[in-house]
Amino acid sequence: SREQANKKGGKMYIQDKVEEYADEIFQKLNDGAHIYFCGLKGMMPGIEDMLKGVAASKGLDYATWIKGLKSKKQWHVEVY
């Protein structure tokens, strides 16, 4: 995906794609889908910052939202 440019003209990262499809992804998560992140641990702060912004734009409290995903075992992160 980094061969593409993000909306700011920079390199494309997973958080850019998740943000681009945020409405669909959040709806699927609300319907019980699971989300998986795997890779370098340095990528997670950018992903979490993006998710916080999207959650806020949808009127959701990020901490409560992510806690719900984790309690329902829908949130999966494997970083190294």
Side-chain angles (χ1 to χ4, degrees), residues 3-73:
E3 295 167 359
Q4 302 171 354
N6 65 21
K7 64 184 176 184
K8 296 176 186 173
K11 291 181 180 179
M12 180 71 71
Y13 292 100
I14 185 62
Q15 58 264 37
D16 299 310
K17 283 297 188 183
V18 172
E19 185 175 27
E20 182 180 341
Y21 294 97
D23 289 341
E24 182 178 348
I25 290 169
F26 271 60
Q27 184 58 54
K28 288 183 181 296
L29 289 168
N30 286 339
D31 291 342
H34 291 239
I35 192 162
Y36 296 81
F37 294 103
C38 180
L40 298 175
K41 61 183 166 188
M43 72 180 191
M44 286 310 295
I47 291 170
E48 290 174 331
D49 288 344
M50 176 275 305
L51 289 172
K52 287 175 187 174
V54 173
S57 74
K58 296 181 172 299
L60 300 170
D61 175 69
Y62 176 78
T64 303
W65 178 75
I66 200 76
K67 185 177 179 181
L69 290 179
K70 289 177 180 180
S71 72
K72 293 182 257 178
K73 309 230 185 288

